[in-house]
């Protein structure tokens, strides 16, 4: 099974300098690629000089996570792509169980390892933790992370389990499955494109898995930190687009209506907690979603997943 590790880079020399040596050390018998999104720093020259066996793919522009990977992966021939953030530390033996799971289970399209916090190494990391799910209103959450609350790793998720979505920070996917679903939706730019892809794969009868027998440590916020209003905008806009695209027909109107009402409260919450730019980002996200509706409706093709959630009303249970 040919594994290609693809690290998307944009002005990330410091991350490559810190974490690429470990990827090389613990990833024998794989090909390692850096896909560069038109960086303006000297990160690519640094990789060429320091890691001559790492292959470099240079995209023409910074088109974001979704389009950047779509463009770069077209130049890679492998059975499995590992999409790995540049701010991830891998560990010894992180590939073995993932490869075995793919070989043992041909119905599995995507696998995520256990993702822990690089700076608080006994805690799960926000972006993925021990595998992702959606509630019945379309709010993403993880085993090990619910909204901003993150759990300590006490072995409670030391298992292998089917999940709804895998984190894009360390995302193993069969290449044939990636291209069968046309890759990521490039309109997303970044954030939740991996949830959308996992949803579409499940609509096609494929499965998403988590294994605790592979562990990585994620810094988080390497491109957009948690305080970025741009991050708030992308998360809200992309979540609405994903719901309209993938929800069962009978659920589209009630779920989106409920979310519109709840987002009025979210706008106030973000504004009070993080400042006016975040309040404005919620409003802008809605108008951007409305502009995307015609194109999104065209992508509602094939069967939509009839049972898509693992929990009900987590926002009320968590906050109230």
């Amino acid at each position: 099974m040919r594994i290609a590790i693809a690290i998307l880079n944009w002005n990330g020399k410091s991350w490559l300098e810190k974490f690429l040596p470990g990827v090389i050390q613990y990833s024998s018998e794989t090909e390692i690629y850096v896909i560069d999104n038109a960086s303006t720093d000297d990160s690519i020259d640094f990789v060429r000089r320091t890691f001559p066996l790492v292959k470099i793919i240079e995209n023409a522009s910074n088109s974001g996570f979704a389009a950047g990977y779509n463009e770069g992966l077209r130049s890679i021939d492998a059975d499995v792509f590992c999409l790995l953030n540049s701010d991830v530390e891998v560990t010894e033996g992180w590939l073995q169980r993932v490869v075995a799971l793919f070989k043992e289970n041909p119905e599995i399209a995507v696998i995520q390892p256990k993702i822990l916090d690089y700076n608080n190494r006994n805690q799960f990391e926000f972006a993925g933790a021990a595998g992702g799910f959606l509630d019945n209103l379309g709010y993403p959450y993880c085993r090990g992370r619910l909204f901003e609350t993150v759990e300590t790793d006490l072995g409670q998720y030391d298992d292998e389990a089917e999940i709804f979505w895998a984190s894009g920070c360390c995302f193993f996917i069969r290449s044939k499955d990636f291209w069968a679903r046309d890759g990521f939706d490039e309109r997303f730019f970044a954030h939740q494109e991996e949830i959308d892809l996992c949803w579409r794969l499940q609509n096609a009868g494929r499965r998403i898995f988590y294994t605790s027998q592979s562990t990585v440590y994620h810094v988080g916020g390497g491109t957009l930190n948690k305080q970025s209003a741009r991050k708030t905008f992308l998360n809200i806009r992309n979540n609405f687009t994903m719901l309209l695209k993938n929800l069962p027909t009978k659920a589209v109107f009630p779920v989106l209506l409920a979310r519109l009402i709840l987002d009025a409260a979210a706008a106030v919450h973000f504004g009070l907690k993080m400042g006016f730019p975040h309040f404005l980002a919620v409003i802008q996200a809605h108008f951007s979603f409305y502009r995307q509706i015609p194109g999104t409706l065209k992508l509602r093709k094939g069967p939509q997943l009839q049972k898509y959630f693992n929990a009900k009303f987590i926002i009320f249970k968590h906050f109230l």
Side-chain angles (χ1 to χ4, degrees):
M1 180 172 283
R2 296 168 303 147
I3 310 292
I5 299 169
I7 300 170
L8 189 67
N9 174 69
W10 182 70
N11 292 343
K13 178 184 176 182
S14 61
W15 298 123
L16 296 170
E17 192 171 16
K18 187 177 184 68
F19 294 120
L20 190 51
V23 176
I24 295 169
Q25 180 181 358
Y26 295 127
S27 309
S28 60
E29 300 182 11
T30 68
E31 289 191 318
I32 301 172
Y33 295 80
V34 170
I35 301 172
D36 187 66
N37 259 2
S39 292
T40 55
D41 67 358
D42 65 340
S43 53
I44 293 307
D45 287 338
F46 164 75
V47 172
R48 284 198 178 101
R49 291 193 312 268
T50 314
F51 308 108
L53 295 180
V54 173
K55 299 180 180 181
I56 296 170
I57 298 170
E58 295 186 72
N59 292 341
S61 63
N62 178 20
S63 50
F65 184 97
Y69 265 123
N70 282 358
E71 183 178 348
L73 292 176
R74 291 188 184 99
S75 300
I76 299 176
D77 181 22
D79 299 309
V80 171
F81 299 140
C82 171
L83 313 188
L84 185 68
N85 277 19
S86 59
D87 60 344
V88 169
E89 177 188 81
V90 304
T91 61
E92 186 174 2
W94 73 297
L95 294 174
Q96 279 87 329
R97 183 55 187 159
V98 172
V99 172
L101 268 177
F102 276 127
K103 288 182 176 178
E104 295 164 8
N105 302 275
E107 74 281 3
I108 293 178
V110 175
I111 298 174
Q112 178 201 301
K114 179 189 283 188
I115 302 173
L116 298 177
D117 191 324
Y118 178 79
N119 294 306
N120 298 284
R121 298 176 78 85
N122 65 338
Q123 287 191 336
F124 287 98
E125 210 280 317
F126 182 90
F133 294 91
L134 294 178
D135 83 339
N136 61 323
L137 293 179
Y139 287 108
Y141 68 99
C142 305
R143 300 194 309 165
R145 191 270 294 173
L146 188 61
F147 294 104
E148 300 296 326
T149 303
V150 179
E151 296 178 30
T152 299
D153 178 18
L154 301 173
Q156 65 271 45
Y157 305 116
D158 282 354
D159 59 4
E160 290 180 341
E162 189 162 6
I163 56 178
F164 191 86
W165 58 270
S167 171
C169 88
C170 187
F171 187 90
F172 291 88
I173 183 168
R174 295 184 195 268
S175 57
K176 65 179 183 180
D177 284 305
F178 187 84
W179 297 122
R181 299 293 105 195
D182 299 320
F184 293 124
D185 187 334
E186 297 183 3
R187 300 174 304 161
F188 281 44
F189 188 81
H191 297 297
Q192 302 200 30
E193 66 287 301
E194 76 270 48
I195 307 179
D196 170 65
L197 178 55
C198 287
W199 200 338
R200 290 185 281 125
L201 284 164
Q202 290 174 97
N203 286 342
R206 307 295 284 153
R207 302 175 73 189
I208 318 298
F209 255 73
Y210 158 86
T211 177
S212 64
Q213 295 183 45
S214 172
T215 300
V216 300
Y217 294 87
H218 184 213
V219 175
T223 302
L224 286 175
N225 66 51
K226 293 180 182 179
Q227 303 305 314
S228 167
R230 174 70 171 165
K231 193 183 194 86
T232 298
F233 166 84
L234 290 170
N235 272 316
I236 291 176
R237 191 273 309 275
N238 293 349
N239 186 259
F240 269 78
T241 295
M242 175 182 69
L243 293 174
L244 177 59
K245 186 175 173 182
N246 296 299
L247 278 171
T249 301
K250 64 181 181 181
V252 170
F253 180 76
V255 170
L256 291 183
L257 178 60
R259 288 294 303 277
L260 286 168
I261 295 169
L262 288 168
D263 267 20
V268 175
H269 170 76
F270 286 137
L272 292 173
K273 184 178 180 181
M274 295 184 286
F276 180 75
H278 291 267
F279 172 86
L280 188 60
V282 178
I283 308 303
Q284 292 172 331
H286 279 259
F287 281 100
S288 182
F289 161 67
Y290 301 147
R291 289 193 293 271
Q292 287 186 350
I293 285 176
T296 302
L297 289 174
K298 292 178 182 177
L299 295 174
R300 281 185 61 85
K301 54 187 178 182
Q304 265 62 43
L305 198 61
Q306 292 304 305
K307 184 178 180 182
Y308 62 92
F309 60 88
N310 262 70
K312 292 185 177 181
F313 305 113
I314 60 170
I315 191 168
F316 297 111
K317 293 177 180 179
H318 182 71
F319 288 106
L320 299 181

